Amino acid sequence: MATSPRSPPGAPPPPEFEISRQSRLLAALSKKVIDLDELRMLAAQGVPDGAAVRPTVWKLLLGYLPSDRALWEQELAKKRSQYAAFKEEFLSNPMEIARRQELEGQGSENTGSIDNGLLHRSEVTQEEHPLSLGKTSAWNQFFEYSEIMEQIDRDVKRTHPDMQFFCGDSSFAKSNQESLKNVLIIFAKLNAGIRYVQGMNEILAPLFFVFRNDPDDKNANFAEADSFFCFVELLSGFRDNFCQKLDNSAVGIQGTLSKLSQLVAKYDGELQRHLEIITEVNPQFYAFRWITLLLTQEFNFADTIHIWDTLLSDPDGPQETLLRICCAMLILVRKRLLAGDFTSNLKLLQNYPPTNISHLLYVANKLH
């Protein structure tokens, strides 16, 4: 049996180490062509908050920004323009589209009369009628997604209720909620096989928070567009976990949970047997949320951001690193788990205790 890795006390790194890490990160980002291997190595140790470069680092790690700095402006302009087109196409209801088309038509004909921007009765085709059930009917497609849009609205309003950034009556919070909704609705319409799965709002939130707090106002103002493309890229590595048809397959969520069980057995067979055989606490009882929501619900928001620095740094995608962190979470509370029964262990793992994140990530890295 492989022994559990022994780790040093999880004391915070000394200030001089933080300064050195920050200067190395800034130097890596200042190169004309970014060395992504070097950037991943540095970011995996955590991006110092004081460096104000996390938005740029995450965009590079997710492949949203090319490694060649000379291409950044062009690539960002192209992506942001593409997102604006998505908003135009997917967030307008059919009445708005019809009114816009009529206005454009009247402008080209130079008629000089707007006529309230409404279609004349004779011009409303069968497919444009709100009661049309045709598959190509804009109205039918609009109503088809109304239930999803309502679910997104409910979930977004529940996103981090303790943070004024996401919740509250301020115009800033409402604007941020609107951005989250826009991204999730557009994603759902572009990905018909998945659409929207409850909890996606929790995965989007860290991305949008980091990008909206970019010290460069121009970038901060395009946080919604940047978050959309990075969200798509991040989810591409976990897509199968959200596809219900694949739940019980080797690539679905059950397959991922099985990998976690095997990882725990490899590094701590005694703990795996006690959990799954003696107390019958199977990974799906606690790790389903850990994995599908990328640990966003297990730690405070600031700690989640630091965990994601490490998750996004994995060149093979975040899933393997995520499983190692989940395994490390079990190892860190192994004494309590070995002494516990079904009820106490389930309660412990569904409400994971506060822990030193640097220490947790150190243990997870030793499982590599």
Side-chain angles (χ1 to χ4, degrees):
M1 181 187 79
T3 58
S4 303
R6 191 181 299 274
S7 55
E16 59 271 18
F17 178 79
E18 284 290 296
I19 294 170
S20 171
R21 191 152 50 100
Q22 182 170 315
S23 61
R24 290 167 65 199
L25 197 54
L26 291 171
L29 290 172
S30 67
K31 295 179 180 177
K32 287 184 178 180
V33 178
I34 311 297
D35 183 336
L36 290 178
D37 289 335
E38 180 189 18
L39 183 68
R40 288 190 186 103
M41 181 192 71
L42 292 170
Q45 302 167 26
V47 179
D49 294 323
V53 294
R54 184 175 279 115
T56 302
V57 171
W58 281 20
K59 288 171 188 176
L60 283 162
L61 294 175
L62 285 164
Y64 181 56
L65 283 177
S67 56
D68 188 341
R69 288 175 61 92
L71 300 176
W72 286 7
E73 190 171 342
Q74 173 189 339
E75 189 65 23
L76 287 173
K78 184 176 77 172
K79 291 291 191 183
R80 289 162 178 176
S81 175
Q82 186 180 354
Y83 182 74
F86 285 154
K87 289 184 75 171
E88 184 94 359
E89 179 178 357
F90 296 117
L91 298 183
S92 299
N93 69 45
M95 183 69 77
E96 292 169 345
I97 296 171
R99 184 179 292 118
R100 191 162 56 242
Q101 289 173 342
E102 168 116 350
L103 289 172
E104 289 171 358
Q106 288 177 345
S108 62
E109 294 166 13
N110 198 24
T111 60
S113 70
I114 294 178
D115 196 22
N116 296 323
L118 299 175
L119 284 174
H120 296 295
R121 186 178 182 84
S122 60
E123 295 173 338
V124 179
T125 66
Q126 178 65 27
E127 287 301 293
E128 291 169 338
H129 196 283
L131 298 182
S132 170
L133 297 177
K135 288 187 176 180
T136 60
S137 163
W139 280 103
N140 188 36
Q141 293 171 9
F142 178 74
F143 289 131
E144 182 185 356
Y145 280 91
S146 61
E147 189 174 331
I148 293 174
M149 291 162 71
E150 289 172 6
Q151 180 66 59
I152 289 172
D153 184 63
R154 286 194 295 271
D155 288 351
V156 165
K157 286 177 179 174
R158 291 195 290 255
T159 304
H160 296 288
D162 56 326
M163 294 179 63
Q164 292 184 349
F165 179 90
F166 293 107
C167 285
D169 297 325
S170 71
S171 58
F172 182 63
K174 291 184 182 300
S175 170
N176 292 337
Q177 285 187 358
E178 199 63 30
S179 289
L180 294 180
K181 286 191 284 187
N182 290 344
V183 169
L184 294 169
I185 291 168
I186 292 171
F187 178 86
K189 291 188 174 184
L190 283 171
N191 294 272
I194 299 178
R195 296 194 177 183
Y196 172 75
V197 177
Q198 197 166 12
M200 284 183 175
N201 58 304
E202 303 293 352
I203 298 176
L204 174 60
L207 291 171
F208 183 73
F209 178 86
V210 167
F211 298 157
R212 188 70 182 86
N213 284 292
D214 194 312
D216 184 328
D217 287 341
K218 183 180 179 182
N219 286 328
N221 291 336
F222 282 102
E224 184 181 317
D226 296 348
S227 296
F228 170 78
F229 288 105
C230 289
F231 178 72
V232 171
E233 182 60 33
L234 179 58
L235 246 59
S236 67
F238 295 92
R239 184 185 180 94
D240 295 339
N241 286 344
F242 290 99
C243 188
Q244 195 170 6
K245 292 178 182 178
L246 297 175
D247 274 358
N248 295 312
S249 72
V251 296
I253 183 60
Q254 293 302 327
T256 306
L257 291 169
S258 178
K259 286 181 183 177
L260 174 60
S261 178
Q262 293 165 17
L263 194 63
V264 178
K266 177 181 178 181
Y267 287 102
D268 197 329
E270 181 186 6
L271 178 59
Q272 189 262 347
R273 285 192 298 274
H274 183 81
L275 269 180
E276 298 184 32
I277 298 173
I278 298 175
T279 63
E280 298 183 333
V281 177
N282 295 315
Q284 58 261 39
F285 297 158
Y286 60 89
F288 181 91
R289 186 178 72 183
W290 292 7
I291 291 167
T292 56
L293 300 186
L294 308 192
L295 299 173
T296 56
Q297 302 302 289
E298 314 316 315
F299 305 98
N300 67 49
F301 195 75
D303 286 343
T304 298
I305 296 294
H306 287 121
I307 289 172
W308 276 36
D309 288 338
T310 300
L311 279 182
L312 300 182
S313 300
D314 193 326
D316 299 320
Q319 181 147 296
E320 295 307 313
T321 298
L322 176 64
L323 290 176
R324 287 195 297 272
I325 294 173
C326 291
C327 183
M329 289 168 67
L330 295 173
I331 290 171
L332 289 184
V333 292
R334 77 183 302 272
K335 285 185 179 179
R336 292 175 64 179
L337 291 172
L338 290 173
D341 57 12
F342 174 84
T343 303
S344 62
N345 284 348
L346 190 61
K347 184 178 180 181
L348 174 64
L349 297 177
Q350 288 183 343
N351 299 276
Y352 196 81
T355 191
N356 183 292
I357 297 303
S358 297
H359 182 49
L360 171 64
L361 295 175
Y362 174 89
V363 175
N365 186 54
K366 287 296 180 183
L367 304 177
H368 207 296

